[in-house]
Amino acid sequence: MRETEGPPALRRLRAFTEWVGAGRKLTATGQITLADARALVTLLETGDVVDPDIGGRVFKTRSSAELSGVLQVFLWAKAIGLVRVVKGRLVPVKKAAPLLARSDALWQAAFETFSQLVEAVCPASESMLYWEFAPVSRALLTRLYGGPAPLTELYELSWERASAPYVIARPEFVRRANDRDTERMLDVLRQLGAIELTGEEVVLTPPGHEAVRCGLGEAGPGEPVYELKVTLLDTDDPVVWRRLRVSAGVPLSRLHRILAATMGWADYHLHVFTAGGQRYGQPSREWDDGLLDETAVTLAEVAGARIGWEYDFGDSWEHELVVERTMEAEDGVAYPVVVAGEGACPPEDCGGTWGYREFRKALADPGHEEHEHLVRWAGLPSAADFDPARFDAETARRAVLRIA
């Protein structure tokens, strides 16, 4: 296999499809036979070790599913549609022949189906990544879209995202397994040519950056970008607002996450957009069947109307979104970009704008009966540590980089 044939992942997919030929018999459980898998280890140069010797003891390989490299190519070829299973045999898909001849199309198909490789990347299902593979992979790629990241940061992000929905009995053991499988995930993306590892830092390659950009609906050079001002209504001294530049084609679902990160909200409450007499959100929610699907509407489609964004239906934080100007995306700039802002984000669950005013009043008065209680409630070392005028653009920028 020659380097000119593309990244290792594509070369293996082509070689595997050619090896399938007119068809190959599978086992009763739908796996490649062990005899064929042994041949594929050499043919595809997967690096798998058959019958490994560990500490002087030989562990017999009993199934091709134990060979993660072979399994990866097998699952990937099926997910892309290069091969399929018919009556216990693996056969090529004839209409996929043009895909094999076009490296760009094959690469895109491999990138889009990467999330289906969980059984090969996390074979023992010991880590939380096994259960949250697709959302974690999106989270890591989204983070890398914002710029290079240290490996340690990606491991931490993977653990945060994968473990969040669960209560874990043995977190240290599971965390080690999660880091191991995250390393494997990143290695598969490296084999595809979507990322590069330089020392302890990871960066998207140009094809990887473009693929993530398209997936996020972010603007490419020359495409429209809006300079957007977000104001938290009914706040004063100072008014809490942010200015950011965001792609016109971003779906409202992603815009919500961008706005929450830019403002400083923790994003664990419900939300809704309003524009042109319509309401957009998550229509599967039982509390409101009248919502239009926010994933199917872009900012550009509602930009001509007055846009409202409400976060937390209990505290009812009402925001106004104003498109101040339209720009062209600059080459080499990853959007969104936080430009400016003023005012600290109020604490979550403080009772809306009325409660926020009372919170500030109590913090400013050491003699207030709620002063000590609210300092402890807000987790502050002292009342002086909350500055209602504070806004750190760099903190907001980092928060935006971590959204997924």
Side-chain angles (χ1 to χ4, degrees):
M1 294 184 288
R2 301 183 302 276
E3 285 296 325
T4 55
E5 295 172 347
L10 296 197
R11 300 202 306 268
R12 289 176 184 137
L13 286 167
R14 288 191 175 103
F16 178 79
T17 307
E18 183 179 351
W19 170 84
V20 169
R24 297 278 179 169
K25 184 179 179 180
L26 298 176
T27 67
T29 58
Q31 298 292 338
I32 294 171
T33 67
L34 190 52
D36 281 344
R38 290 174 182 271
L40 285 170
V41 168
T42 301
L43 174 68
L44 304 179
E45 300 175 2
T46 63
D48 291 310
V49 178
V50 182
D51 302 333
D53 185 327
I54 303 175
R57 180 182 172 187
V58 175
F59 290 81
K60 297 290 291 183
T61 302
R62 302 185 182 281
S63 168
S64 63
E66 298 173 26
L67 305 173
S68 61
V70 171
L71 181 61
Q72 172 188 309
V73 180
F74 174 47
L75 294 177
W76 220 340
K78 286 200 299 179
I80 293 169
L82 301 176
V83 297
R84 60 182 177 143
V85 178
V86 178
K87 296 181 179 180
R89 289 179 61 81
L90 189 65
V91 298
V93 177
K94 292 182 180 179
K95 66 179 181 181
L99 190 62
L100 289 166
R102 291 184 52 202
S103 292
D104 56 344
L106 181 59
W107 191 96
Q108 186 64 35
F111 183 84
E112 291 173 356
T113 54
F114 161 75
S115 62
Q116 299 181 40
L117 304 184
V118 58
E119 296 290 344
V121 176
C122 312
S125 69
E126 297 168 343
S127 72
M128 305 315 299
L129 186 59
Y130 179 89
W131 309 102
E132 300 290 326
F133 192 85
V136 169
S137 63
R138 287 195 298 270
L140 298 189
L141 289 167
T142 301
R143 166 60 189 89
L144 290 170
Y145 180 74
L151 273 170
T152 51
E153 181 181 338
L154 297 181
Y155 290 152
E156 185 66 28
L157 179 56
S158 172
W159 174 246
E160 288 178 3
R161 178 61 186 83
S163 64
Y166 306 96
V167 176
I168 301 170
R170 300 172 62 194
E172 292 184 4
F173 169 79
V174 180
R175 173 62 191 269
R176 287 195 297 271
N178 204 83
D179 286 353
R180 178 203 63 205
D181 289 350
T182 301
E183 182 180 12
R184 291 175 174 173
M185 172 193 279
L186 293 172
D187 187 59
V188 176
L189 287 169
R190 181 194 60 78
Q191 293 174 37
L192 180 59
I195 66 172
E196 291 179 348
L197 277 67
T198 305
E200 294 298 310
E201 193 171 68
V202 183
V203 62
L204 285 174
T205 62
H209 188 275
E210 179 65 11
V212 176
R213 181 191 71 77
C214 292
L216 295 175
E218 297 294 351
E223 294 179 352
V225 169
Y226 294 145
E227 188 160 277
L228 189 67
K229 184 176 182 180
V230 187
T231 304
L232 179 56
L233 301 179
D234 198 25
T235 56
D236 52 33
D237 193 26
V239 174
V240 180
W241 62 271
R242 307 285 187 262
R243 179 172 288 115
L244 65 155
R245 292 170 185 162
V246 61
S247 304
V250 67
L252 293 185
S253 53
R254 176 165 165 77
L255 178 63
H256 161 72
R257 297 193 293 273
I258 293 169
L259 294 174
T262 305
M263 290 297 299
W265 297 120
D267 194 15
Y268 55 75
H269 290 293
L270 300 174
H271 69 276
V272 67
F273 288 95
T274 56
Q278 300 287 351
R279 302 172 75 246
Y280 303 90
Q282 299 168 298
S284 61
R285 298 287 185 184
E286 295 180 1
W287 50 264
D288 193 338
D289 290 332
L291 290 179
L292 299 179
D293 186 357
E294 65 181 4
T295 66
V297 181
T298 67
L299 176 57
E301 293 175 281
V302 299
R306 181 186 180 279
I307 307 172
W309 172 55
E310 181 181 357
Y311 170 69
D312 183 357
F313 297 163
D315 283 1
S316 190
W317 301 104
E318 296 277 1
H319 305 72
E320 181 182 53
L321 279 57
V322 176
V323 176
E324 296 184 315
R325 60 172 174 152
T326 302
M327 312 166 59
E328 288 189 356
E330 299 179 41
D331 190 12
V333 176
Y335 297 90
V337 174
V338 179
V339 177
E342 187 176 6
C345 183
E348 299 267 356
D349 305 318
C350 70
T353 52
W354 178 87
Y356 181 45
R357 282 192 288 272
E358 292 300 308
F359 170 81
R360 290 175 55 184
K361 185 187 299 183
L363 254 60
D365 180 6
H368 193 286
E369 61 181 359
E370 290 289 302
H371 179 85
E372 293 299 329
H373 166 70
L374 288 176
V375 169
R376 291 193 301 271
W377 174 81
L380 299 170
S382 69
D385 287 280
F386 183 81
D387 179 2
R390 180 184 298 150
F391 169 69
D392 185 350
E394 179 60 21
T395 299
R397 186 191 71 82
R398 289 197 299 269
V400 168
L401 284 178
R402 290 180 66 84
I403 66 169

